[in-house]
Amino acid sequence: MSDVNDPCLGCAIVHGEVHPPGGVLARAPGLVLHGVASPSPVPGWVVLTSDQHVRGWYDLDETASRELGPFAARVMRAQREVLGAEHVYAFAIGDVLRHFHLHLVPRFADTPSHLRGRGAFDAAPAEHLAPEALEAAARRLAAALAR
């Protein structure tokens, strides 16, 4: 298994060297929003990440800390309004990447119960959506956030 921190996947996404679905969708001081970089069973699953190496929320600088809540809320509202999500989960686990990252995972009326909440991380490969579907949802979110 390869080490996502060598070279750093977070840095590669922030600098546009790796293109998850939709690429970088929006930025705020100290923060970058991008599509989830792994296969996903949920359209519109995005990640709000630090643009610097920080272990967790507690290590964000003052500017990024101030931006985080309002930026996350804006993204979650867009996931509900543009994609039709009923609810949006927020997960900050921090066990792998050396960049703080907050997963914003929408839940839809038709989301199967086993994929709700933390279950979205455990989807079987057959449940993953086509890259085109993930890209389309990410682009819709980016357009909404650009307004």
Side-chain angles (χ1 to χ4, degrees):
M1 183 174 177
S2 65
D3 180 357
V4 295
N5 291 300
D6 185 24
C8 179
L9 176 61
C11 286
I13 291 170
V14 166
H15 299 302
E17 298 159 5
V18 169
H19 184 86
V24 171
L25 307 176
R27 292 180 185 268
L31 302 167
V32 172
L33 179 74
H34 60 84
V36 68
S38 56
S40 169
V42 181
W45 182 337
V46 294
V47 180
L48 224 172
T49 190
S50 60
D51 64 7
Q52 301 291 316
H53 288 270
V54 296
R55 175 65 186 180
W57 195 326
Y58 44 80
D59 286 328
L60 291 173
D61 66 26
E62 194 63 33
T63 301
S65 291
R66 257 194 317 275
E67 293 287 336
L68 181 61
F71 192 20
R74 201 168 132 238
V75 172
M76 294 165 100
R77 282 188 210 103
Q79 287 170 305
R80 294 185 69 220
E81 292 166 11
V82 176
L83 301 178
E86 289 184 327
H87 180 63
V88 180
Y89 303 106
F91 300 98
I93 301 166
D95 286 341
V96 177
L97 290 178
R98 293 183 189 134
H99 284 252
F100 163 76
H101 53 288
L102 182 67
H103 291 260
L104 301 175
V105 184
R107 183 192 76 214
F108 301 93
D110 62 350
T111 299
S113 60
H114 72 282
L115 294 178
R116 291 178 178 231
R118 172 70 183 79
F121 288 88
D122 300 324
E127 296 174 298
H128 293 154
L129 299 176
E132 298 79 20
L134 300 176
E135 182 81 25
R139 287 280 133 228
R140 290 174 60 203
L141 275 176
L145 294 166
R147 288 183 234 149

